[in-house]
Amino acid sequence: MLRIYSLILIAIFTASCKEDKSRNTTSPIPEIKRETEKSNDTLNNLLKVENPQPGQVVTSPLEITGVARGYWFFEAEATAELLDGNLQTISETYTTAIGEWMTEDWVPFSGTMTFEKPATKNGFLVLHKANASGLKKHEMSDTIPVKFQMQN
């Protein structure tokens, strides 16, 4: 008799451990999100441009310098774009980290941009954070208003 009860208990235990195929399997699996950027990643905490300063008169070649957090770059580079007053691209170049860029610390960078004199007297230098993923949520840029030297 004890043997029969033992076999019944083992059968019940085994049946209860099997996966229930009748459960709804169409519910979505929760997405695991990992924090890739620090929550205090504001532009002021990521990039400090030394040259050019806002409103500065610029000429070609334009020397771009400053410091940025290492993760502003990808493969030690980030893009810079010069726009005229009509927001048309005049020139593009890369800024390059000087030294070790795989860090969260400040890293000096520089770049040189050549351009033809635009028709407008004002423009904008736009420094873009590298975004290897291409995802919109990781895009960030700094726009610096500049003036172009006008010739008589």
Side-chain angles (χ1 to χ4, degrees), residues 34-43 45-46 69-72 103-105 129 137-138 140:
R34 294 191 177 104
E35 207 54 46
T36 57
E37 304 278 344
K38 297 195 176 306
S39 60
N40 64 348
D41 279 351
T42 62
L43 191 56
N45 192 42
L46 289 176
R69 299 287 183 182
Y71 49 97
W72 180 267
T103 177
E104 293 183 4
D105 293 331
K129 180 179 182 281
K137 69 180 184 177
H138 297 298
M140 186 178 281

mmCIF file with all atom_site columns, all heavy atoms in Angstrom, residues 34-43 45-46 69-72 103-105 129 137-138 140:
data_model
loop_
_atom_site.group_PDB
_atom_site.id
_atom_site.type_symbol
_atom_site.label_atom_id
_atom_site.label_alt_id
_atom_site.label_comp_id
_atom_site.label_asym_id
_atom_site.label_entity_id
_atom_site.label_seq_id
_atom_site.pdbx_PDB_ins_code
_atom_site.Cartn_x
_atom_site.Cartn_y
_atom_site.Cartn_z
_atom_site.occupancy
_atom_site.B_iso_or_equiv
_atom_site.pdbx_formal_charge
_atom_site.auth_seq_id
_atom_site.auth_comp_id
_atom_site.auth_asym_id
_atom_site.auth_atom_id
_atom_site.pdbx_PDB_model_num
ATOM 1   N N   . ARG A 1 34  ? 19.641 48.755 -21.186 1.00 0.00 ? 34  ARG A N   1
ATOM 2   C CA  . ARG A 1 34  ? 20.891 49.057 -20.495 1.00 0.00 ? 34  ARG A CA  1
ATOM 3   C C   . ARG A 1 34  ? 21.184 50.526 -20.654 1.00 0.00 ? 34  ARG A C   1
ATOM 4   O O   . ARG A 1 34  ? 21.007 51.095 -21.718 1.00 0.00 ? 34  ARG A O   1
ATOM 5   C CB  . ARG A 1 34  ? 22.027 48.233 -21.075 1.00 0.00 ? 34  ARG A CB  1
ATOM 6   C CG  . ARG A 1 34  ? 21.843 46.759 -20.815 1.00 0.00 ? 34  ARG A CG  1
ATOM 7   C CD  . ARG A 1 34  ? 23.111 45.994 -21.156 1.00 0.00 ? 34  ARG A CD  1
ATOM 8   N NE  . ARG A 1 34  ? 22.925 44.605 -20.820 1.00 0.00 ? 34  ARG A NE  1
ATOM 9   C CZ  . ARG A 1 34  ? 22.700 43.646 -21.685 1.00 0.00 ? 34  ARG A CZ  1
ATOM 10  N NH1 . ARG A 1 34  ? 22.640 43.914 -22.960 1.00 0.00 ? 34  ARG A NH1 1
ATOM 11  N NH2 . ARG A 1 34  ? 22.542 42.414 -21.296 1.00 0.00 ? 34  ARG A NH2 1
ATOM 12  N N   . GLU A 1 35  ? 21.641 51.126 -19.609 1.00 0.00 ? 35  GLU A N   1
ATOM 13  C CA  . GLU A 1 35  ? 21.977 52.546 -19.621 1.00 0.00 ? 35  GLU A CA  1
ATOM 14  C C   . GLU A 1 35  ? 23.301 52.693 -20.350 1.00 0.00 ? 35  GLU A C   1
ATOM 15  O O   . GLU A 1 35  ? 24.309 52.141 -19.925 1.00 0.00 ? 35  GLU A O   1
ATOM 16  C CB  . GLU A 1 35  ? 22.099 53.022 -18.169 1.00 0.00 ? 35  GLU A CB  1
ATOM 17  C CG  . GLU A 1 35  ? 21.811 54.458 -17.917 1.00 0.00 ? 35  GLU A CG  1
ATOM 18  C CD  . GLU A 1 35  ? 20.475 54.976 -18.412 1.00 0.00 ? 35  GLU A CD  1
ATOM 19  O OE1 . GLU A 1 35  ? 19.444 54.337 -18.205 1.00 0.00 ? 35  GLU A OE1 1
ATOM 20  O OE2 . GLU A 1 35  ? 20.491 56.036 -19.013 1.00 0.00 ? 35  GLU A OE2 1
ATOM 21  N N   . THR A 1 36  ? 23.307 53.371 -21.490 1.00 0.00 ? 36  THR A N   1
ATOM 22  C CA  . THR A 1 36  ? 24.545 53.561 -22.233 1.00 0.00 ? 36  THR A CA  1
ATOM 23  C C   . THR A 1 36  ? 25.099 54.963 -22.045 1.00 0.00 ? 36  THR A C   1
ATOM 24  O O   . THR A 1 36  ? 26.247 55.221 -22.321 1.00 0.00 ? 36  THR A O   1
ATOM 25  C CB  . THR A 1 36  ? 24.342 53.311 -23.736 1.00 0.00 ? 36  THR A CB  1
ATOM 26  O OG1 . THR A 1 36  ? 23.325 54.180 -24.203 1.00 0.00 ? 36  THR A OG1 1
ATOM 27  C CG2 . THR A 1 36  ? 23.963 51.874 -23.997 1.00 0.00 ? 36  THR A CG2 1
ATOM 28  N N   . GLU A 1 37  ? 24.273 55.867 -21.603 1.00 0.00 ? 37  GLU A N   1
ATOM 29  C CA  . GLU A 1 37  ? 24.699 57.242 -21.377 1.00 0.00 ? 37  GLU A CA  1
ATOM 30  C C   . GLU A 1 37  ? 24.409 57.588 -19.925 1.00 0.00 ? 37  GLU A C   1
ATOM 31  O O   . GLU A 1 37  ? 23.469 57.087 -19.339 1.00 0.00 ? 37  GLU A O   1
ATOM 32  C CB  . GLU A 1 37  ? 23.919 58.204 -22.284 1.00 0.00 ? 37  GLU A CB  1
ATOM 33  C CG  . GLU A 1 37  ? 24.015 57.891 -23.755 1.00 0.00 ? 37  GLU A CG  1
ATOM 34  C CD  . GLU A 1 37  ? 25.271 58.412 -24.393 1.00 0.00 ? 37  GLU A CD  1
ATOM 35  O OE1 . GLU A 1 37  ? 25.943 59.271 -23.812 1.00 0.00 ? 37  GLU A OE1 1
ATOM 36  O OE2 . GLU A 1 37  ? 25.583 57.955 -25.503 1.00 0.00 ? 37  GLU A OE2 1
ATOM 37  N N   . LYS A 1 38  ? 25.181 58.429 -19.365 1.00 0.00 ? 38  LYS A N   1
ATOM 38  C CA  . LYS A 1 38  ? 24.944 58.879 -18.004 1.00 0.00 ? 38  LYS A CA  1
ATOM 39  C C   . LYS A 1 38  ? 23.769 59.841 -17.995 1.00 0.00 ? 38  LYS A C   1
ATOM 40  O O   . LYS A 1 38  ? 23.556 60.582 -18.929 1.00 0.00 ? 38  LYS A O   1
ATOM 41  C CB  . LYS A 1 38  ? 26.186 59.565 -17.451 1.00 0.00 ? 38  LYS A CB  1
ATOM 42  C CG  . LYS A 1 38  ? 27.360 58.622 -17.364 1.00 0.00 ? 38  LYS A CG  1
ATOM 43  C CD  . LYS A 1 38  ? 28.412 59.226 -16.491 1.00 0.00 ? 38  LYS A CD  1
ATOM 44  C CE  . LYS A 1 38  ? 29.551 58.309 -16.289 1.00 0.00 ? 38  LYS A CE  1
ATOM 45  N NZ  . LYS A 1 38  ? 29.243 57.011 -15.793 1.00 0.00 ? 38  LYS A NZ  1
ATOM 46  N N   . SER A 1 39  ? 23.013 59.835 -16.912 1.00 0.00 ? 39  SER A N   1
ATOM 47  C CA  . SER A 1 39  ? 21.816 60.671 -16.839 1.00 0.00 ? 39  SER A CA  1
ATOM 48  C C   . SER A 1 39  ? 22.156 62.155 -16.807 1.00 0.00 ? 39  SER A C   1
ATOM 49  O O   . SER A 1 39  ? 21.334 62.977 -17.127 1.00 0.00 ? 39  SER A O   1
ATOM 50  C CB  . SER A 1 39  ? 20.994 60.287 -15.613 1.00 0.00 ? 39  SER A CB  1
ATOM 51  O OG  . SER A 1 39  ? 21.761 60.477 -14.442 1.00 0.00 ? 39  SER A OG  1
ATOM 52  N N   . ASN A 1 40  ? 23.374 62.505 -16.412 1.00 0.00 ? 40  ASN A N   1
ATOM 53  C CA  . ASN A 1 40  ? 23.750 63.921 -16.372 1.00 0.00 ? 40  ASN A CA  1
ATOM 54  C C   . ASN A 1 40  ? 24.483 64.352 -17.637 1.00 0.00 ? 40  ASN A C   1
ATOM 55  O O   . ASN A 1 40  ? 25.214 65.323 -17.631 1.00 0.00 ? 40  ASN A O   1
ATOM 56  C CB  . ASN A 1 40  ? 24.606 64.212 -15.129 1.00 0.00 ? 40  ASN A CB  1
ATOM 57  C CG  . ASN A 1 40  ? 25.929 63.470 -15.139 1.00 0.00 ? 40  ASN A CG  1
ATOM 58  O OD1 . ASN A 1 40  ? 26.130 62.581 -15.940 1.00 0.00 ? 40  ASN A OD1 1
ATOM 59  N ND2 . ASN A 1 40  ? 26.815 63.828 -14.240 1.00 0.00 ? 40  ASN A ND2 1
ATOM 60  N N   . ASP A 1 41  ? 24.262 63.648 -18.737 1.00 0.00 ? 41  ASP A N   1
ATOM 61  C CA  . ASP A 1 41  ? 24.908 63.977 -20.008 1.00 0.00 ? 41  ASP A CA  1
ATOM 62  C C   . ASP A 1 41  ? 24.211 65.154 -20.680 1.00 0.00 ? 41  ASP A C   1
ATOM 63  O O   . ASP A 1 41  ? 23.498 64.991 -21.663 1.00 0.00 ? 41  ASP A O   1
ATOM 64  C CB  . ASP A 1 41  ? 24.920 62.771 -20.942 1.00 0.00 ? 41  ASP A CB  1
ATOM 65  C CG  . ASP A 1 41  ? 26.033 61.818 -20.618 1.00 0.00 ? 41  ASP A CG  1
ATOM 66  O OD1 . ASP A 1 41  ? 26.878 62.167 -19.794 1.00 0.00 ? 41  ASP A OD1 1
ATOM 67  O OD2 . ASP A 1 41  ? 26.046 60.723 -21.186 1.00 0.00 ? 41  ASP A OD2 1
ATOM 68  N N   . THR A 1 42  ? 24.405 66.319 -20.120 1.00 0.00 ? 42  THR A N   1
ATOM 69  C CA  . THR A 1 42  ? 23.936 67.522 -20.786 1.00 0.00 ? 42  THR A CA  1
ATOM 70  C C   . THR A 1 42  ? 25.077 68.015 -21.656 1.00 0.00 ? 42  THR A C   1
ATOM 71  O O   . THR A 1 42  ? 26.230 67.636 -21.467 1.00 0.00 ? 42  THR A O   1
ATOM 72  C CB  . THR A 1 42  ? 23.548 68.602 -19.769 1.00 0.00 ? 42  THR A CB  1
ATOM 73  O OG1 . THR A 1 42  ? 24.706 68.952 -19.002 1.00 0.00 ? 42  THR A OG1 1
ATOM 74  C CG2 . THR A 1 42  ? 22.430 68.113 -18.854 1.00 0.00 ? 42  THR A CG2 1
ATOM 75  N N   . LEU A 1 43  ? 24.758 68.878 -22.590 1.00 0.00 ? 43  LEU A N   1
ATOM 76  C CA  . LEU A 1 43  ? 25.773 69.386 -23.507 1.00 0.00 ? 43  LEU A CA  1
ATOM 77  C C   . LEU A 1 43  ? 26.920 70.045 -22.748 1.00 0.00 ? 43  LEU A C   1
ATOM 78  O O   . LEU A 1 43  ? 28.091 69.843 -23.075 1.00 0.00 ? 43  LEU A O   1
ATOM 79  C CB  . LEU A 1 43  ? 25.131 70.355 -24.492 1.00 0.00 ? 43  LEU A CB  1
ATOM 80  C CG  . LEU A 1 43  ? 25.990 70.781 -25.667 1.00 0.00 ? 43  LEU A CG  1
ATOM 81  C CD1 . LEU A 1 43  ? 26.486 69.571 -26.446 1.00 0.00 ? 43  LEU A CD1 1
ATOM 82  C CD2 . LEU A 1 43  ? 25.204 71.684 -26.576 1.00 0.00 ? 43  LEU A CD2 1
ATOM 83  N N   . ASN A 1 45  ? 28.077 69.313 -19.943 1.00 0.00 ? 45  ASN A N   1
ATOM 84  C CA  . ASN A 1 45  ? 28.889 68.324 -19.256 1.00 0.00 ? 45  ASN A CA  1
ATOM 85  C C   . ASN A 1 45  ? 29.651 67.429 -20.232 1.00 0.00 ? 45  ASN A C   1
ATOM 86  O O   . ASN A 1 45  ? 30.410 66.578 -19.822 1.00 0.00 ? 45  ASN A O   1
ATOM 87  C CB  . ASN A 1 45  ? 28.006 67.460 -18.344 1.00 0.00 ? 45  ASN A CB  1
ATOM 88  C CG  . ASN A 1 45  ? 28.824 66.623 -17.399 1.00 0.00 ? 45  ASN A CG  1
ATOM 89  O OD1 . ASN A 1 45  ? 29.809 67.086 -16.837 1.00 0.00 ? 45  ASN A OD1 1
ATOM 90  N ND2 . ASN A 1 45  ? 28.425 65.389 -17.220 1.00 0.00 ? 45  ASN A ND2 1
ATOM 91  N N   . LEU A 1 46  ? 29.435 67.632 -21.533 1.00 0.00 ? 46  LEU A N   1
ATOM 92  C CA  . LEU A 1 46  ? 30.095 66.788 -22.533 1.00 0.00 ? 46  LEU A CA  1
ATOM 93  C C   . LEU A 1 46  ? 31.075 67.521 -23.431 1.00 0.00 ? 46  LEU A C   1
ATOM 94  O O   . LEU A 1 46  ? 31.999 66.915 -23.944 1.00 0.00 ? 46  LEU A O   1
ATOM 95  C CB  . LEU A 1 46  ? 29.039 66.138 -23.430 1.00 0.00 ? 46  LEU A CB  1
ATOM 96  C CG  . LEU A 1 46  ? 28.182 65.062 -22.819 1.00 0.00 ? 46  LEU A CG  1
ATOM 97  C CD1 . LEU A 1 46  ? 27.130 64.602 -23.811 1.00 0.00 ? 46  LEU A CD1 1
ATOM 98  C CD2 . LEU A 1 46  ? 29.013 63.900 -22.368 1.00 0.00 ? 46  LEU A CD2 1
ATOM 99  N N   . ARG A 1 69  ? 34.127 65.011 -23.406 1.00 0.00 ? 69  ARG A N   1
ATOM 100 C CA  . ARG A 1 69  ? 34.216 63.709 -22.746 1.00 0.00 ? 69  ARG A CA  1
ATOM 101 C C   . ARG A 1 69  ? 34.592 62.684 -23.803 1.00 0.00 ? 69  ARG A C   1
ATOM 102 O O   . ARG A 1 69  ? 34.194 62.785 -24.965 1.00 0.00 ? 69  ARG A O   1
ATOM 103 C CB  . ARG A 1 69  ? 32.891 63.316 -22.108 1.00 0.00 ? 69  ARG A CB  1
ATOM 104 C CG  . ARG A 1 69  ? 32.433 64.277 -21.034 1.00 0.00 ? 69  ARG A CG  1
ATOM 105 C CD  . ARG A 1 69  ? 33.265 64.141 -19.793 1.00 0.00 ? 69  ARG A CD  1
ATOM 106 N NE  . ARG A 1 69  ? 32.746 65.048 -18.757 1.00 0.00 ? 69  ARG A NE  1
ATOM 107 C CZ  . ARG A 1 69  ? 33.274 65.177 -17.583 1.00 0.00 ? 69  ARG A CZ  1
ATOM 108 N NH1 . ARG A 1 69  ? 34.358 64.482 -17.268 1.00 0.00 ? 69  ARG A NH1 1
ATOM 109 N NH2 . ARG A 1 69  ? 32.754 66.000 -16.715 1.00 0.00 ? 69  ARG A NH2 1
ATOM 110 N N   . GLY A 1 70  ? 35.360 61.686 -23.402 1.00 0.00 ? 70  GLY A N   1
ATOM 111 C CA  . GLY A 1 70  ? 35.844 60.692 -24.362 1.00 0.00 ? 70  GLY A CA  1
ATOM 112 C C   . GLY A 1 70  ? 34.753 60.042 -25.173 1.00 0.00 ? 70  GLY A C   1
ATOM 113 O O   . GLY A 1 70  ? 34.933 59.727 -26.343 1.00 0.00 ? 70  GLY A O   1
ATOM 114 N N   . TYR A 1 71  ? 33.569 59.855 -24.585 1.00 0.00 ? 71  TYR A N   1
ATOM 115 C CA  . TYR A 1 71  ? 32.504 59.192 -25.321 1.00 0.00 ? 71  TYR A CA  1
ATOM 116 C C   . TYR A 1 71  ? 31.734 60.139 -26.242 1.00 0.00 ? 71  TYR A C   1
ATOM 117 O O   . TYR A 1 71  ? 30.731 59.756 -26.837 1.00 0.00 ? 71  TYR A O   1
ATOM 118 C CB  . TYR A 1 71  ? 31.565 58.406 -24.400 1.00 0.00 ? 71  TYR A CB  1
ATOM 119 C CG  . TYR A 1 71  ? 31.054 59.155 -23.197 1.00 0.00 ? 71  TYR A CG  1
ATOM 120 C CD1 . TYR A 1 71  ? 29.819 59.770 -23.218 1.00 0.00 ? 71  TYR A CD1 1
ATOM 121 C CD2 . TYR A 1 71  ? 31.810 59.234 -22.033 1.00 0.00 ? 71  TYR A CD2 1
ATOM 122 C CE1 . TYR A 1 71  ? 29.338 60.456 -22.128 1.00 0.00 ? 71  TYR A CE1 1
ATOM 123 C CE2 . TYR A 1 71  ? 31.333 59.923 -20.934 1.00 0.00 ? 71  TYR A CE2 1
ATOM 124 C CZ  . TYR A 1 71  ? 30.095 60.522 -20.982 1.00 0.00 ? 71  TYR A CZ  1
ATOM 125 O OH  . TYR A 1 71  ? 29.628 61.205 -19.891 1.00 0.00 ? 71  TYR A OH  1
ATOM 126 N N   . TRP A 1 72  ? 32.221 61.369 -26.414 1.00 0.00 ? 72  TRP A N   1
ATOM 127 C CA  . TRP A 1 72  ? 31.705 62.252 -27.463 1.00 0.00 ? 72  TRP A CA  1
ATOM 128 C C   . TRP A 1 72  ? 32.151 61.717 -28.831 1.00 0.00 ? 72  TRP A C   1
ATOM 129 O O   . TRP A 1 72  ? 31.514 61.928 -29.842 1.00 0.00 ? 72  TRP A O   1
ATOM 130 C CB  . TRP A 1 72  ? 32.230 63.674 -27.252 1.00 0.00 ? 72  TRP A CB  1
ATOM 131 C CG  . TRP A 1 72  ? 31.759 64.673 -28.268 1.00 0.00 ? 72  TRP A CG  1
ATOM 132 C CD1 . TRP A 1 72  ? 32.394 65.046 -29.419 1.00 0.00 ? 72  TRP A CD1 1
ATOM 133 C CD2 . TRP A 1 72  ? 30.548 65.429 -28.231 1.00 0.00 ? 72  TRP A CD2 1
ATOM 134 N NE1 . TRP A 1 72  ? 31.659 65.988 -30.094 1.00 0.00 ? 72  TRP A NE1 1
ATOM 135 C CE2 . TRP A 1 72  ? 30.518 66.249 -29.385 1.00 0.00 ? 72  TRP A CE2 1
ATOM 136 C CE3 . TRP A 1 72  ? 29.485 65.511 -27.334 1.00 0.00 ? 72  TRP A CE3 1
ATOM 137 C CZ2 . TRP A 1 72  ? 29.471 67.118 -29.658 1.00 0.00 ? 72  TRP A CZ2 1
ATOM 138 C CZ3 . TRP A 1 72  ? 28.448 66.370 -27.608 1.00 0.00 ? 72  TRP A CZ3 1
ATOM 139 C CH2 . TRP A 1 72  ? 28.456 67.173 -28.773 1.00 0.00 ? 72  TRP A CH2 1
ATOM 140 N N   . THR A 1 103 ? 37.680 57.063 -22.557 1.00 0.00 ? 103 THR A N   1
ATOM 141 C CA  . THR A 1 103 ? 37.592 57.450 -21.161 1.00 0.00 ? 103 THR A CA  1
ATOM 142 C C   . THR A 1 103 ? 36.342 58.293 -20.971 1.00 0.00 ? 103 THR A C   1
ATOM 143 O O   . THR A 1 103 ? 35.767 58.780 -21.940 1.00 0.00 ? 103 THR A O   1
ATOM 144 C CB  . THR A 1 103 ? 38.849 58.239 -20.747 1.00 0.00 ? 103 THR A CB  1
ATOM 145 O OG1 . THR A 1 103 ? 38.704 58.664 -19.389 1.00 0.00 ? 103 THR A OG1 1
ATOM 146 C CG2 . THR A 1 103 ? 39.069 59.462 -21.631 1.00 0.00 ? 103 THR A CG2 1
ATOM 147 N N   . GLU A 1 104 ? 35.943 58.471 -19.740 1.00 0.00 ? 104 GLU A N   1
ATOM 148 C CA  . GLU A 1 104 ? 34.844 59.379 -19.431 1.00 0.00 ? 104 GLU A CA  1
ATOM 149 C C   . GLU A 1 104 ? 35.376 60.764 -19.081 1.00 0.00 ? 104 GLU A C   1
ATOM 150 O O   . GLU A 1 104 ? 34.602 61.686 -18.866 1.00 0.00 ? 104 GLU A O   1
ATOM 151 C CB  . GLU A 1 104 ? 34.001 58.820 -18.287 1.00 0.00 ? 104 GLU A CB  1
ATOM 152 C CG  . GLU A 1 104 ? 33.266 57.558 -18.672 1.00 0.00 ? 104 GLU A CG  1
ATOM 153 C CD  . GLU A 1 104 ? 32.361 57.026 -17.579 1.00 0.00 ? 104 GLU A CD  1
ATOM 154 O OE1 . GLU A 1 104 ? 32.242 57.675 -16.523 1.00 0.00 ? 104 GLU A OE1 1
ATOM 155 O OE2 . GLU A 1 104 ? 31.765 55.969 -17.782 1.00 0.00 ? 104 GLU A OE2 1
ATOM 156 N N   . ASP A 1 105 ? 36.687 60.896 -19.024 1.00 0.00 ? 105 ASP A N   1
ATOM 157 C CA  . ASP A 1 105 ? 37.313 62.172 -18.680 1.00 0.00 ? 105 ASP A CA  1
ATOM 158 C C   . ASP A 1 105 ? 37.298 63.123 -19.869 1.00 0.00 ? 105 ASP A C   1
ATOM 159 O O   . ASP A 1 105 ? 36.968 62.749 -20.988 1.00 0.00 ? 105 ASP A O   1
ATOM 160 C CB  . ASP A 1 105 ? 38.764 61.941 -18.222 1.00 0.00 ? 105 ASP A CB  1
ATOM 161 C CG  . ASP A 1 105 ? 38.832 61.178 -16.908 1.00 0.00 ? 105 ASP A CG  1
ATOM 162 O OD1 . ASP A 1 105 ? 37.891 61.291 -16.098 1.00 0.00 ? 105 ASP A OD1 1
ATOM 163 O OD2 . ASP A 1 105 ? 39.832 60.461 -16.701 1.00 0.00 ? 105 ASP A OD2 1
ATOM 164 N N   . LYS A 1 129 ? 28.035 65.046 -31.816 1.00 0.00 ? 129 LYS A N   1
ATOM 165 C CA  . LYS A 1 129 ? 28.528 63.907 -31.039 1.00 0.00 ? 129 LYS A CA  1
ATOM 166 C C   . LYS A 1 129 ? 28.503 62.696 -31.966 1.00 0.00 ? 129 LYS A C   1
ATOM 167 O O   . LYS A 1 129 ? 27.548 62.503 -32.715 1.00 0.00 ? 129 LYS A O   1
ATOM 168 C CB  . LYS A 1 129 ? 27.621 63.661 -29.830 1.00 0.00 ? 129 LYS A CB  1
ATOM 169 C CG  . LYS A 1 129 ? 28.038 62.504 -28.959 1.00 0.00 ? 129 LYS A CG  1
ATOM 170 C CD  . LYS A 1 129 ? 27.072 62.387 -27.780 1.00 0.00 ? 129 LYS A CD  1
ATOM 171 C CE  . LYS A 1 129 ? 27.473 61.281 -26.856 1.00 0.00 ? 129 LYS A CE  1
ATOM 172 N NZ  . LYS A 1 129 ? 27.080 59.966 -27.336 1.00 0.00 ? 129 LYS A NZ  1
ATOM 173 N N   . LYS A 1 137 ? 17.837 58.792 -30.658 1.00 0.00 ? 137 LYS A N   1
ATOM 174 C CA  . LYS A 1 137 ? 17.903 59.085 -29.230 1.00 0.00 ? 137 LYS A CA  1
ATOM 175 C C   . LYS A 1 137 ? 19.335 59.353 -28.746 1.00 0.00 ? 137 LYS A C   1
ATOM 176 O O   . LYS A 1 137 ? 19.527 59.906 -27.676 1.00 0.00 ? 137 LYS A O   1
ATOM 177 C CB  . LYS A 1 137 ? 17.272 57.962 -28.414 1.00 0.00 ? 137 LYS A CB  1
ATOM 178 C CG  . LYS A 1 137 ? 18.028 56.657 -28.424 1.00 0.00 ? 137 LYS A CG  1
ATOM 179 C CD  . LYS A 1 137 ? 17.324 55.622 -27.589 1.00 0.00 ? 137 LYS A CD  1
ATOM 180 C CE  . LYS A 1 137 ? 18.115 54.326 -27.515 1.00 0.00 ? 137 LYS A CE  1
ATOM 181 N NZ  . LYS A 1 137 ? 17.465 53.346 -26.655 1.00 0.00 ? 137 LYS A NZ  1
ATOM 182 N N   . HIS A 1 138 ? 20.341 58.983 -29.527 1.00 0.00 ? 138 HIS A N   1
ATOM 183 C CA  . HIS A 1 138 ? 21.732 59.211 -29.146 1.00 0.00 ? 138 HIS A CA  1
ATOM 184 C C   . HIS A 1 138 ? 22.342 60.432 -29.837 1.00 0.00 ? 138 HIS A C   1
ATOM 185 O O   . HIS A 1 138 ? 23.511 60.720 -29.647 1.00 0.00 ? 138 HIS A O   1
ATOM 186 C CB  . HIS A 1 138 ? 22.579 57.974 -29.449 1.00 0.00 ? 138 HIS A CB  1
ATOM 187 C CG  . HIS A 1 138 ? 22.169 56.771 -28.672 1.00 0.00 ? 138 HIS A CG  1
ATOM 188 N ND1 . HIS A 1 138 ? 22.212 56.714 -27.301 1.00 0.00 ? 138 HIS A ND1 1
ATOM 189 C CD2 . HIS A 1 138 ? 21.685 55.575 -29.084 1.00 0.00 ? 138 HIS A CD2 1
ATOM 190 C CE1 . HIS A 1 138 ? 21.773 55.535 -26.893 1.00 0.00 ? 138 HIS A CE1 1
ATOM 191 N NE2 . HIS A 1 138 ? 21.445 54.835 -27.957 1.00 0.00 ? 138 HIS A NE2 1
ATOM 192 N N   . MET A 1 140 ? 23.283 64.240 -30.570 1.00 0.00 ? 140 MET A N   1
ATOM 193 C CA  . MET A 1 140 ? 23.501 65.451 -29.789 1.00 0.00 ? 140 MET A CA  1
ATOM 194 C C   . MET A 1 140 ? 24.467 66.328 -30.567 1.00 0.00 ? 140 MET A C   1
ATOM 195 O O   . MET A 1 140 ? 25.381 65.827 -31.225 1.00 0.00 ? 140 MET A O   1
ATOM 196 C CB  . MET A 1 140 ? 24.093 65.103 -28.423 1.00 0.00 ? 140 MET A CB  1
ATOM 197 C CG  . MET A 1 140 ? 24.207 66.289 -27.490 1.00 0.00 ? 140 MET A CG  1
ATOM 198 S SD  . MET A 1 140 ? 24.868 65.845 -25.864 1.00 0.00 ? 140 MET A SD  1
ATOM 199 C CE  . MET A 1 140 ? 23.418 65.145 -25.110 1.00 0.00 ? 140 MET A CE  1
#
